[in-house]
Amino acid sequence: MDKFLGYCLIALLLPATRLLGNIMRRDHQLQEPPRYLLFIKLLGLGSLIVATDPIQTLRQKMPTTRFILLTDSNIAKGIEPFHVFDEIWPVDTNSLAITIRKSLKYILFSWRLKKLWVADLEVYSKLTTVYALFTLARNRFGFHLRPVFFRKFLNTHNIPFNQGACLEDNYWRMAQVIANTDDLSITGQPPTVRSNEWEKPYIILNNTCSNLALVRKLPDKTVAAICTWILTFTHYRIAFLGTINDKTAINRFIDQYLPAYKQEGKLTNIAGTLDFEAYYHFIADKAACMVTIDSGPLHIARKLGLPTISVWGPTNPGSYLKIPPGQEKRHLYCYNKIACSPCVHHHEQLPCGGNNVCMKKIAAEEVIEKISRLLAYHSTTVSLRSV
């Protein structure tokens, strides 16, 4: 729908937009901050969390501006505990009728907001560009790159999206443009420090992701081998993450590969069992670290201060994983950069046709070595603190 309906609407709106722009000659300067700043991010809780440091820094620069987020209803629940936005407009994207009705409602509401600016955080979406245009906001910010070339004529301020840079750096650049300064700090928030980190009972394991790119997942046998090593050679239990839709598959995985450990009470499946507030508390309070693929929980864990080990193949960690200085030994990763990687977000038709050999060729031993290194490093730091 985004592709075909988006292009149809753009074909209709582009000539009228350019004509009205030439006739009205509206002032799009950025000297005075807006009264309202609406962010659009319909998909991807993980990437929205990546954007929170630039947005929070922008809030400090614009203290009188009310920050609003338009997003999917599930993402709304996920981002709310971080208190980044003053107001959230949720849309149920699982229902086309509700999506259209809510979108029209929010467009009508946006027309009543004086001194409104809009920032479209989606990188490739066509419909979010159209939505931003329909708000009639005086200033509309969006990323510009070849797949969405039309944005150059529909947005008032286009930020070149550098596909070779980290996603967070692109968000920082957008924040700088909105704030009308190149001096906006890009140091981010100080890392969260947790007490008694390595005394917590669980290592969290996540092998789930959205249906947009299931090729990011590891094979079950690889995950089972990692779990077996953790449960055999460390004192930690394992908690599995996921949504309610993943719960049955995770239970089936446990029954097939780890039945003995299940009987011993060493495994917990929290997929879909907790609301986001409780979910975040569990991760922060009960987990020593997280082992995960490229997925939203990775960015949640880092935001909450957990050490992480992440596994990459179809996506490049350099594009999504910005590790602060001094944190390098707390965030380790495995990346199998074969000839066709990265492919997700670069090709509509994946070169492997869905047979994600990049992930299938990552041996469990590679991930286990990273876990062992992380545990060894942190046992050393704990000993040094004790001295």
Side-chain angles (χ1 to χ4, degrees):
M1 186 178 72
D2 184 89
K3 180 177 180 179
F4 295 106
L5 179 58
Y7 273 131
C8 289
L9 289 171
I10 287 164
L12 291 171
L13 293 168
L14 188 56
T17 302
R18 298 197 68 183
L19 177 62
L20 288 172
N22 290 327
I23 293 173
M24 297 176 68
R25 299 288 182 180
R26 297 179 79 185
D27 181 4
H28 299 294
Q29 295 186 59
L30 305 174
Q31 277 78 8
E32 292 293 327
R35 188 174 299 169
Y36 302 94
L37 180 54
L38 172 63
F39 292 88
I40 303 175
K41 189 74 175 78
L42 289 181
L43 298 175
L45 175 59
S47 54
L48 181 57
I49 289 174
V50 169
T52 55
D53 277 356
I55 293 172
Q56 287 171 327
T57 304
L58 196 56
R59 286 185 65 121
Q60 296 171 9
K61 188 75 174 178
M62 306 165 72
T64 61
T65 300
R66 186 167 180 82
F67 281 53
I68 305 170
L69 173 67
L70 174 72
T71 189
D72 173 77
S73 53
N74 288 321
I75 295 177
K77 295 173 185 175
I79 199 65
E80 189 174 13
F82 292 108
H83 306 293
V84 180
F85 301 94
D86 298 300
E87 189 175 340
I88 298 178
W89 296 351
V91 176
D92 184 359
T93 57
N94 292 320
S95 167
L96 179 59
I98 295 176
T99 299
I100 293 173
R101 187 173 71 248
K102 279 289 188 75
S103 298
L104 290 174
K105 170 189 170 183
Y106 292 138
I107 286 173
L108 293 173
F109 188 76
S110 70
W111 291 351
R112 300 202 298 267
L113 301 180
K114 303 300 181 182
K115 296 185 179 180
L116 170 69
W117 294 358
V118 176
D120 182 3
L121 299 181
E122 294 290 353
V123 179
Y124 301 99
S125 173
K126 288 79 178 171
L127 286 178
T128 56
T129 307
V130 172
Y131 190 95
L133 180 65
F134 278 157
T135 66
L136 306 182
R138 180 174 294 274
N139 291 316
R140 301 180 301 277
F141 306 83
F143 290 118
H144 178 252
L145 66 167
R146 187 183 301 174
V148 285
F149 59 91
F150 47 82
R151 286 181 175 171
K152 182 177 181 181
F153 308 106
L154 297 179
N155 292 323
T156 61
H157 297 79
N158 294 285
I159 296 90
F161 187 85
N162 185 351
Q163 289 183 292
C166 183
L167 177 63
E168 185 176 348
D169 289 337
N170 284 291
Y171 286 141
W172 275 111
R173 182 55 190 153
M174 176 179 279
Q176 289 173 333
V177 172
I178 294 172
N180 195 27
T181 178
D182 290 329
D183 297 327
L184 194 67
S185 170
I186 59 172
T187 56
Q189 302 298 316
T192 302
V193 178
R194 303 185 307 150
S195 61
N196 303 320
E197 191 163 70
W198 296 97
E199 296 176 11
K200 300 183 187 301
Y202 289 98
I203 287 178
I204 288 185
L205 197 143
N206 173 61
N207 192 39
T208 65
C209 59
S210 71
N211 292 332
L212 292 175
L214 291 173
V215 289
R216 291 173 287 174
K217 295 180 67 173
L218 281 165
D220 282 351
K221 288 185 177 180
T222 306
V223 177
I226 295 167
C227 292
T228 300
W229 184 88
I230 292 171
L231 296 169
T232 302
F233 294 100
T234 80
H235 64 277
Y236 293 106
R237 289 176 276 166
I238 292 176
F240 293 92
L241 295 187
T243 67
I244 188 63
N245 296 326
D246 301 308
K247 188 175 183 64
T248 300
I250 293 172
N251 283 333
R252 190 163 51 242
F253 165 81
I254 291 171
D255 290 338
Q256 181 177 351
Y257 292 99
L258 306 166
Y261 296 110
K262 177 183 177 181
Q263 293 178 357
E264 294 173 9
K266 293 185 175 182
L267 304 172
T268 301
N269 179 7
I270 66 169
T273 62
L274 305 172
D275 61 34
F276 275 103
E277 191 91 35
Y279 174 85
Y280 294 155
H281 277 298
F282 183 93
I283 292 174
D285 299 339
K286 301 294 185 182
C289 65
M290 180 182 290
V291 181
T292 178
I293 57 173
D294 169 27
S295 183
L298 168 63
H299 306 293
I300 292 169
R302 295 184 62 227
K303 186 71 175 178
L304 296 174
L306 266 71
T308 62
I309 294 136
S310 51
V311 188
W312 306 73
T315 50
N316 185 340
S319 297
Y320 300 96
L321 196 61
K322 190 176 181 65
I323 301 173
Q327 296 280 303
E328 294 87 356
K329 293 184 178 180
R330 288 177 59 84
H331 300 289
L332 309 179
Y333 61 87
C334 303
Y335 177 33
N336 186 16
K337 182 173 173 52
I338 62 176
C340 56
S341 175
C343 60
V344 171
H345 306 309
H346 293 267
H347 303 279
E348 284 196 27
Q349 298 296 325
L350 301 185
C352 66
N355 180 27
N356 57 339
V357 292
C358 53
M359 297 301 284
K360 291 176 179 178
K361 288 185 176 181
I362 294 177
E365 289 75 17
E366 292 182 56
V367 183
I368 290 168
E369 188 276 330
K370 301 291 184 184
I371 300 172
S372 180
R373 190 196 307 177
L374 184 66
L375 295 179
Y377 166 72
H378 284 286
S379 65
T380 302
T381 59
V382 169
S383 298
L384 288 174
R385 290 189 194 116
S386 300
V387 173

